Amino acid sequence: MILYKKPCKPTKFSSIVENKSKYAPPVAVYIKLAWRNLFRNKRRTLLSVLAIGVGIAALIFVDALLIGWKDNMIHTATATFMGQGQVHHKGFLETLEVDKTIDHPGKKINKLKSNPDIQQITCRTRSFGMIASPGNVQSIIINGIDPETEKNMSKLDEAIIKGNFSGKNNGHNKMLIGKKLAEILEVTPGDKVTLTVAQAKTGNTAQEMFRIGGIFEFKVREMDTSMAFIDLHQSQKLLGINKDVHEIAFTFKDITLSTQVNHPVWSLLGYSDIETLSWLELMPELKAMLSWLNVSMLIMTIILFGIVAAGIVNTLFMSLYERMFEFGVLRAVGTRPGNLAFLIVLEAGSLAVISAVAGSVMGAILVYIFSKEGLDYSDTEFVNVAIIDRIYPVMASHQFMIYPLSLILFTMVIGLYPAIHAAKITPAKAMKK
Amino acid sequence: MSNIIINAQSLKKTYKTGMVEVNALNGVDFQVRQKEFTAVAGPSGSGKTTLLNLISGLDTPTSGTVQLNQKEISSMSGAELGDFRRDHIGFIFQSYNLIPVLTVTENIEYIMLLQGIKKNERHRRVKKILSEVGLEGTGNRKPIELSGGQQQRVAIARAIVSRPNIILADEPTANLDSKTGRELLQIMQTLNQKLGITFVFSTHDHMIMSHARRLVWIHDGQIEKDEVREQPCQGG
């Protein structure tokens, strides 16, 4: 038998409706409720967190991989041979006309050297030519280079797979040719080839015999098939351009400076017939490729986000609709509709926060591991840029801000639907569910 | 008429199940006066729960009006109705309807939190009420760890702790054994007699019916009989 001792005294009924009591939404208890509800079905919540977290981790990883990929392509494109910026006579790049030279290159080089952002500089000649061996004939682009300065500028030294390139040998000039060109000409290091070029001013042809000093492989078809390198001074003599050059290539101390369109280097030389171009202008196809990568990332983000969103919607709706009865009880005992909606959105937000944290941790681990190991995409070529080095994903702060925060925001917006539904439904109807 | 706190007129409630329409209530007039101890009796599906839901604003009528203290319920917003229930109506449900993730203390405290009652006062009231319903020492347990009778006591504690003027109980003893049912009835009678809390409960438990001062018979959505007894049974 229960003995009822001192019951609570009820308030006067005259205060009904007219005298509303002060209302203080108990946010702390809603947070507690949301949190406990989330762990009510631990297995389901864990699976949801895992599924959503994997989605976030995938987004972070793909983003990091694409940054690494872009960096790799830019580095490969600029470091293979091109450099990050080049100086030419205006119109030279369109025709490779021998006459369109840069005269007094020393002055220009000194001017470039005066800029503290410049790291390496080299001079080159470039012209069309015809190479003939006993086995075949091929039209090529012949590059005259200074082996000493070129060493710091390009990866030519690293690309040599047979022989070497050190100027003259046994009275014959040495030439470096691409692997595929060597196959076409059926030559190996030590074999003789004849190079024919058109000379400046007169347009007369000049011919000289070279011995194959080495064979290089950049793994870029165009370079390996139709490029050859000879000594700068020999090429100047052969082309009849005295001390002039066709190209001054340079690199910056920091590659990001090369994409700054307002950098003083681009207008430093100040000659009306000379142009200074960045790698973005020299390789518009690479620029387009990088834009395409950004679009790809956006599409991938949308798809992955869609998958993650479907998981969230499923979990949230399953969890909320099966508890509609409880929401009815909360409404019955005096919870305002708006506060019930707040509770549900809070619950959705809590799921998103846990998933975002889990996803970020998984993503960070994944990116960290692969940023140490790298991914091997060698032998792959995009827009004449070969992936030579391994691709190392790059961790960036935006990956841990944009994706997790978007997910949390998105989940809370999604959570609004069941929240509004639960807030609008009559308590009696909810309690029948 | 001034002591009428709930006044329902021509209440109709129709539910649609697919193409079929079911009239749960069919033009019911029903008033509740202060301090009444009223049982609404009738067979299953007669409309008892629907009537309780409509007079408390838990559901909306198809037609008819409900006035709470002379204010039309349909003119109240969802928040106003919520506040009204929070401050003036206590609910006891057949299946207890406690929040499973909250402890006994938290379940009882919840309405007081909504009312903005300070922590010390809340704890004082919870402690007191737990002792009054015979549940000392169970404050930190979850509802699932309690028996049906204990859970219904928690539901009663939750219903009365906010000091409501009226308690609506929907078949409160239906899931309890007769001994526990009698104990709960005694609590309800004590609250009614000593504090003047108005009780309206639906039931088909003859023991509860025999203790009601007013017995309203409902059948097929209509009130068949409304009798006021001078000398109902007392005690459990």
Side-chain angles (χ1 to χ4, degrees), chain B residues 74-231:
Chain B
S74 62
S75 67
M76 291 171 148
S77 69
E80 273 181 321
L81 258 175
D83 290 356
F84 178 82
R85 286 195 294 265
R86 178 195 70 197
D87 293 336
H88 302 292
I89 303 178
F91 288 96
I92 302 169
F93 301 97
Q94 180 182 338
S95 47
Y96 329 126
N97 292 6
L98 301 171
I99 306 298
V101 290
L102 297 181
T103 63
V104 166
T105 297
E106 287 164 344
N107 262 288
I108 299 170
E109 239 187 332
Y110 181 73
I111 300 173
M112 290 190 285
L113 277 162
L114 294 179
Q115 289 177 318
I117 293 170
K118 290 205 167 92
K119 193 177 177 181
N120 288 345
E121 174 63 8
R122 289 200 311 266
H123 286 186
R124 190 189 66 77
R125 283 201 210 176
V126 170
K127 197 176 169 191
K128 189 177 167 195
I129 210 103
L130 279 175
S131 136
E132 284 165 359
V133 296
L135 286 175
E136 292 119 317
T138 60
N140 291 326
R141 291 199 207 163
K142 293 274 174 67
I144 201 167
E145 298 166 36
L146 303 177
S147 69
Q150 285 175 314
Q151 287 190 51
Q152 197 59 301
R153 284 181 211 181
V154 177
I156 290 176
R158 180 179 66 180
I160 61 174
V161 78
S162 60
R163 301 177 176 179
N165 305 96
I166 181 166
I167 289 177
L168 299 176
D170 187 11
E171 307 213 25
T173 58
N175 289 340
L176 305 176
D177 59 67
S178 56
K179 181 176 175 281
T180 314
R182 274 197 302 278
E183 288 172 353
L184 292 177
L185 177 68
Q186 194 184 30
I187 293 173
M188 294 195 290
Q189 279 185 320
T190 310
L191 289 166
N192 174 253
Q193 287 161 10
K194 292 195 174 174
L195 292 172
I197 296 176
T198 308
F199 270 86
V200 180
F201 42 88
S202 67
T203 187
H204 33 31
D205 182 336
H206 288 282
M207 189 263 294
I208 288 201
M209 283 184 228
S210 65
H211 288 80
R213 279 201 295 277
R214 182 183 169 202
L215 185 60
V216 177
W217 285 95
I218 192 164
H219 190 73
D220 287 343
Q222 286 184 315
I223 291 177
E224 269 191 348
K225 200 160 61 175
D226 189 345
E227 54 180 317
V228 177
R229 293 131 157 213
E230 290 300 320
Q231 290 266 304

Side-chain angles (χ1 to χ4, degrees), chain A residues 241-261:
Chain A
I241 56 172
N242 301 320
K243 298 280 181 193
D244 293 353
V245 295
H246 289 127
E247 184 172 288
I248 300 170
F250 57 90
T251 57
F252 288 87
K253 285 172 184 163
D254 175 3
I255 191 166
T256 56
L257 297 172
S258 65
T259 56
Q260 289 177 6
V261 287

Side-chain angles (χ1 to χ4, degrees), chain A residues 87 111-112 115 250 252 260-272 274-278 281:
Chain A
V87 179
K111 261 194 171 181
L112 286 172
N115 188 292
F250 57 90
F252 288 87
Q260 289 177 6
V261 287
N262 294 326
H263 196 281
V265 161
W266 310 123
S267 54
L268 183 67
L269 297 180
Y271 298 98
S272 59
I274 295 290
E275 59 185 4
T276 310
L277 303 172
S278 74
E281 293 160 297

Side-chain angles (χ1 to χ4, degrees), chain A residues 109-313:
Chain A
I109 287 168
N110 286 337
K111 261 194 171 181
L112 286 172
K113 275 181 180 169
S114 70
N115 188 292
D117 292 333
I118 299 294
Q119 190 174 39
Q120 302 290 346
I121 301 174
T122 192
C123 291
R124 296 165 184 158
T125 63
R126 288 177 80 186
S127 68
F128 289 115
M130 186 75 80
I131 188 167
S133 72
N136 220 330
V137 179
Q138 177 80 0
S139 69
I140 57 164
I141 293 173
I142 187 80
N143 298 278
I145 56 167
D146 175 358
E148 283 309 305
T149 52
E150 195 65 48
K151 207 182 289 176
N152 305 319
M153 175 65 63
S154 70
K155 287 184 179 288
L156 187 58
D157 259 13
E158 295 168 36
I160 295 172
I161 53 169
K162 274 183 193 170
N164 56 56
F165 180 59
S166 54
K168 294 189 175 185
N169 179 34
N170 296 335
H172 290 285
N173 303 330
K174 267 194 175 178
M175 180 187 275
L176 268 181
I177 61 169
K179 186 185 171 192
K180 284 191 168 35
L181 181 60
E183 285 166 9
I184 292 166
L185 297 173
E186 298 167 14
V187 292
T188 54
D191 290 346
K192 287 178 191 168
V193 289
T194 308
L195 178 67
T196 310
V197 294
Q199 284 193 315
K201 294 181 183 107
T202 60
N204 293 335
T205 55
Q207 213 169 46
E208 193 155 344
M209 190 164 289
F210 285 84
R211 197 174 282 276
I212 303 297
I215 294 171
F216 65 83
E217 186 182 20
F218 280 119
K219 291 183 178 168
V220 179
R221 197 164 42 87
E222 198 179 296
M223 293 180 86
D224 293 344
T225 310
S226 55
M227 271 184 115
F229 297 91
I230 57 173
D231 181 77
L232 177 67
H233 302 298
Q234 277 186 291
S235 73
Q236 285 168 328
K237 195 176 154 195
L238 193 63
L239 295 167
I241 56 172
N242 301 320
K243 298 280 181 193
D244 293 353
V245 295
H246 289 127
E247 184 172 288
I248 300 170
F250 57 90
T251 57
F252 288 87
K253 285 172 184 163
D254 175 3
I255 191 166
T256 56
L257 297 172
S258 65
T259 56
Q260 289 177 6
V261 287
N262 294 326
H263 196 281
V265 161
W266 310 123
S267 54
L268 183 67
L269 297 180
Y271 298 98
S272 59
D273 57 341
I274 295 290
E275 59 185 4
T276 310
L277 303 172
S278 74
W279 62 268
L280 282 168
E281 293 160 297
L282 292 163
M283 284 197 83
E285 64 274 26
L286 179 60
K287 191 182 173 186
M289 172 76 177
L290 296 177
S291 303
W292 176 82
L293 277 178
N294 288 337
V295 174
S296 302
M297 181 62 203
L298 185 69
I299 293 168
M300 217 174 299
T301 303
I302 291 168
I303 293 170
L304 276 172
F305 226 92
I307 295 166
V308 171
I312 292 170
V313 170

Side-chain angles (χ1 to χ4, degrees), chain A residues 364-415:
Chain A
I365 293 170
L366 210 59
V367 173
Y368 178 78
I369 292 169
F370 281 95
S371 68
K372 295 288 168 201
E373 296 295 318
L375 288 153
D376 189 8
Y377 275 83
S378 56
D379 297 332
T380 316
E381 184 190 328
F382 292 95
V383 288
N384 287 334
V385 178
I387 307 289
I388 297 168
D389 298 326
R390 294 172 78 86
I391 294 175
Y392 295 93
V394 178
M395 211 178 283
S397 58
H398 77 264
Q399 293 153 358
F400 300 91
M401 301 286 283
I402 293 172
Y403 301 124
L405 287 178
S406 305
L407 175 91
I408 292 167
L409 192 69
F410 175 81
T411 309
M412 289 172 96
V413 170
I414 289 285

